[in-house]
Amino acid sequence: MKPASGVRSTMQLDAALVDLLAQLVEVGGKGGLSGECTQLMKDVATMLVETRAALKLEYSRYRALFDAVPDPVSIIAYDGTVLDLNKAGIDAYERPRKDIIGKPIEVLNPDLPRNHLAPVLEALRRGETHVIEVTNMRADGTRFPVEVHSAALEYDGRQAMVAVARDLSARYEAEARYHSLVEGIDKAITLQDRNGRLHYINAAGMRMFGLRDDENLQREPDWGDWLVVDENGRPLPREQHPSARAIRLGTAVSSQVIGLYRRSTQRLAWLSVTSVPQFAPGAKRPHMVLSLSSDITELKRDNALFERVQELARIGGWQWDRSRDALYLTAEARRILGTLRASCTLEDVLGGLHPPDREQLARTIAGVTEGTGFELELHGQHADGAPFWVRMIGESESGGPGADLLTGTLQDITERKQAEESLRQQAQTDALTGLMNRDAILRQLDLRLAHPASNGVGLLYVDLDRFKIVNDVLGHSAGDTLLIAAARRMRDAVASEGLISRFGGDEFVVVCATGDDPGRPERLARRVQHAFTEAFRLDRDEFSVTTSIGIARAPADGETAQQLIQSADVAMYDSKRRRRNGWQSFSPELASRQQEKLQAETQLRRALDNREFHLVYQPQVDLRTGRILYAEALVRWRNPQLGEMRPDRFIDLAETTGDIIRIGNWVLHEACAQMRRWREQDLPIQRVAVNVSYRQFTGDNLGESVGKALADAGLPGHALELELTERVLVDDTPDTLLVFDQLRALGVQLSIDDFGEGYSALNYLRRLPIHALKLSQSFLKGVPGKPSDVAICQAVAGIAQSLGLGIVAEGVESEAQRDFLLRLGVNVGQGYLFAPGLLPGEFAKRVTAQQDTA
């Protein structure tokens, strides 16, 4: 059957031919044609009339069939133009035919995406039918969902497609009604796969199983939280669950009774479950199982069954007739309490409890009146000495013959209490060392200070000397190993005479009593320090780690835990400052010094803004000739209130407060500016050296700061030397390496100050752009008479020579030291033998005088 437009075209052509032949027959009848030809044309005309009638009949049938289809059917060109539409389509879209035919398909479906015909045409070229769900639009703008089936069609001699659109509105409404029914039913409906994973559960199921709305169902259920039993109260293996049986056997399992006990909520429910396997089309094995569950808990109040369930849940029952002092216990209650008799007296139960809990239960149970109840957690001990904890719940009967009866439950909560105690211990214990942690020792200290005998409390604040260097060089794992070993030694040293805590990092606190032994804190300090005399062995290396200890006493040095710890901390830092591996008791002098420190800290924050800093320059000379080659910039601070402050005091303070970053940046710019002024005076000073703090290196954008200082002064990079500490070398982080790359690009000279005082990372000397080492003054003091210092100086000089680095000696104070250094091959030095730190003008005078004598 041809489409409608093709039939109409053929009918129109046939009508024209019939008219033409009729005219020829008329002409032939007048003698224009032979009789045979005229007859032939008459026959042709007759055939054409019959054919026309047949085509008209065919068209009417096509139209009737086309319009008889109840779904909208449209003929669409491959460019998306609507060529024809049946009556159902006209009615569905509520548009006249002229508003649709010849128009693009978007008239009927304005929500179609761009290039929507591409997947349709691709399917048609493969000889397939394309199916899609879309939304069509009526004339009034309302939309309705349809499922469109498209197939290829030849239309009027060209390729086209026929599209059948089925209205899905009724199906969607039916699905909504079905969903309302499923969600409104009071039966639990669940859908699970072969692995037991829940794919659907209705609202009744959520309530029945005690699930929260926020619980994730798209996962394997936590079977460890559920105890499933059969109707006799015996545990039911998972493969015997109704859903598992149905999906394994491939047949329905009807009305199987199971009990569900959820441990996390302590909730028991009894269910009658029917499970039906679900098969995918053509599958032989089910892939899903649909279960319908009814709550029959109210029907399962059988005493024997609940006895079993109570055993599994560790819940027992009891009943006490106070008129006769007769106590009845279920089997599980007897097991919990450790008694073999079902009938006993209340005194029998009280006798197994600890005295405080015994008194509490007797007092509580005596006060229970009609309609009231109680809930207690009680601690007791079995005959064999094993401890137990129970939650006891009870209430009185509501009058009548049972007014003298109290009934309730006993739940064994021993495991929970033991777990809580374990967590409590963990919360008070340092995980690494096993000692008390910071919070625990503070609580104990508060308790002791609050006690009337608090006059006798001593506190030791212990800090491990040089621990940070070990931690930085060998890594945190080695540091942890060292802390564990240090804690063990400290525990052995203190023994039972005090409480020990890891207070934080490498700091420990010891709390001890002093009422019976006033000298105990000092004695414990000596014991701790003696315990650290032996070196620590880490793998193949040995490290000597000592302790600095501060001692404080209550109430003289503090009446609160915070005050006492602060006083001991001040004493510890004083010990560390004066001498490591020592101890120091807190004193009023230390308190005054602490106050001065706080005052200095306050003044330090304003010192830079108040222009209280200035620089002096110490010459670095050629040891052979005494000629000044370089200058080292040294910062000095003069405060109107505090006077002249020693560098060793305020530099450490600035490091602690973080002010060293601003101060160091000022020193850098000021030294570069002075170097520029000397150059303008034509003084032969090759470069100026500036000390850079570790805090500057890690906390400031040092590369940019140095670049700006050089640019502002108009200096080349080689005119500046930065003196770094060894700690910078071991901080092998991407940020640190980036700063080294920036300084290398600027051409700045880099040296390691006080080389050898720390754990030198020799590997980094090869990798990083270090130009020189500075030999520490502390090693030079003992030369040439002290063999150990001589050996260290020789070792440092050897390292510098082998790596091709320069070396500068600090603190040269005698000709003997100078001669020793020259023999060692060290040609550059600085110290009081040549000059202290000089003001810029005095420094320039010395250089000028040196030029004049040349």
Side-chain angles (χ1 to χ4, degrees), residues 551-553 555-558 566-568 570-571 574 584-597:
I551 299 174
R553 288 176 168 80
D557 301 331
Q566 184 175 358
S567 296
V570 169
D574 183 68
Q584 174 68 44
S585 292
F586 186 77
S587 65
E589 292 77 17
L590 282 179
S592 175
R593 194 177 303 161
Q594 178 69 5
Q595 184 63 34
E596 291 177 3
K597 179 182 177 182

Side-chain angles (χ1 to χ4, degrees), residues 306-317:
F306 268 87
E307 185 80 14
R308 177 60 176 161
V309 174
Q310 288 173 354
E311 178 183 344
L312 294 170
R314 296 188 176 181
I315 298 176

Side-chain angles (χ1 to χ4, degrees), residues 554-574:
D557 301 331
E559 297 181 351
T560 67
Q562 190 61 37
Q563 291 172 348
L564 202 61
I565 288 174
Q566 184 175 358
S567 296
D569 186 36
V570 169
M572 182 273 292
Y573 272 108
D574 183 68

Side-chain angles (χ1 to χ4, degrees), residues 207-488:
R207 292 192 303 271
M208 198 174 296
F209 299 145
L211 298 175
R212 303 186 307 274
D213 291 340
D214 60 348
E215 288 194 74
N216 181 16
L217 302 180
Q218 302 301 320
R219 57 178 173 81
E220 183 75 14
D222 182 10
W223 295 112
D225 193 30
W226 294 86
L227 177 64
V228 183
V229 297
D230 62 17
E231 58 182 328
N232 295 315
R234 292 186 295 268
L236 193 66
R238 183 165 176 260
E239 60 270 15
Q240 294 301 318
H241 295 183
S243 57
R245 288 178 57 207
I247 205 165
R248 184 178 72 252
L249 301 175
T251 59
V253 175
S254 301
S255 303
Q256 182 177 348
V257 175
I258 63 171
L260 287 181
Y261 176 74
R262 193 172 188 184
R263 294 183 173 90
S264 60
T265 61
Q266 298 183 359
R267 184 177 180 273
L268 174 67
W270 288 98
L271 307 176
S272 176
V273 184
T274 295
S275 296
V276 181
Q278 305 293 302
F279 294 83
K284 295 182 179 180
R285 296 177 59 200
H287 68 296
M288 293 281 184
V289 59
L290 182 70
S291 298
L292 182 69
S293 305
S294 302
D295 190 340
I296 60 170
T297 304
E298 296 298 327
L299 304 177
K300 295 294 294 180
R301 299 300 185 186
D302 180 84
N303 290 336
L305 182 58
F306 268 87
E307 185 80 14
R308 177 60 176 161
V309 174
Q310 288 173 354
E311 178 183 344
L312 294 170
R314 296 188 176 181
I315 298 176
W318 60 273
Q319 185 178 70
W320 182 52
D321 185 346
R322 53 181 150 192
S323 64
R324 299 184 297 113
D325 191 20
L327 181 66
Y328 173 78
L329 301 172
T330 65
E332 182 62 15
R334 295 196 302 272
R335 186 201 67 78
I336 293 172
L337 295 174
T339 179
L340 299 178
R341 294 184 299 159
S343 299
C344 56
T345 67
L346 181 62
E347 191 62 33
D348 294 331
V349 174
L350 293 174
L353 300 178
H354 289 177
D357 293 354
R358 182 187 310 156
E359 296 169 6
Q360 183 182 20
L361 177 59
R363 185 170 58 252
T364 300
I365 208 166
V368 175
T369 59
E370 180 181 328
T372 64
F374 66 90
E375 180 176 346
L376 297 174
E377 289 189 359
L378 305 169
H379 186 197
Q381 192 171 20
H382 291 152
D384 61 0
F388 69 84
W389 282 264
V390 295
R391 176 187 288 116
M392 189 174 187
I393 302 175
E395 62 181 9
S396 70
E397 298 292 342
S398 56
D404 283 334
L405 293 179
L406 272 67
T407 59
T409 60
L410 283 172
Q411 183 180 11
D412 187 350
I413 59 172
T414 303
E415 290 186 3
R416 178 173 69 80
K417 283 293 188 179
Q418 289 174 338
E420 289 176 356
E421 178 64 17
S422 176
L423 289 175
R424 189 184 67 81
Q425 290 292 337
Q426 291 177 19
Q428 296 183 350
T429 304
D430 176 60
L432 179 65
T433 62
L435 300 175
M436 298 173 70
N437 61 20
R438 183 189 188 100
D439 291 339
I441 198 67
L442 287 176
R443 280 195 295 271
Q444 289 296 322
L445 191 53
D446 284 335
L447 289 173
R448 294 197 179 199
L449 292 176
H451 195 271
S454 60
N455 316 355
V457 177
L459 187 141
L460 282 69
Y461 200 106
V462 183
D463 180 83
L464 303 186
D465 300 327
R466 306 174 73 85
F467 168 79
K468 189 167 185 59
I469 297 176
V470 175
N471 201 50
D472 289 342
V473 172
L474 298 184
H476 293 296
S477 179
D480 288 347
T481 302
L482 178 58
L483 287 173
I484 294 170
R488 188 182 304 115

Side-chain angles (χ1 to χ4, degrees), residues 629-640:
L629 303 175
Y630 321 113
E632 180 179 1
L634 303 172
V635 63
R636 297 292 183 260
W637 178 27
R638 185 183 298 110
N639 180 264

Side-chain angles (χ1 to χ4, degrees), residues 466 726 753-760 774 776 779 792 796:
R466 306 174 73 85
E726 288 179 283
D753 196 15
D754 294 330
F755 184 79
E757 283 197 352
Y759 287 96
S760 304
K774 295 199 73 174
S776 173
F779 300 138
I792 292 175
V796 173

Side-chain angles (χ1 to χ4, degrees), residues 507-528:
E507 296 174 334
F508 298 82
V509 163
V510 179
V511 174
C512 64
T514 59
D516 60 332
D517 184 359
R520 178 174 283 126
E522 289 79 6
R523 192 175 71 256
L524 291 180
R526 286 190 291 269
R527 277 196 204 164
V528 168

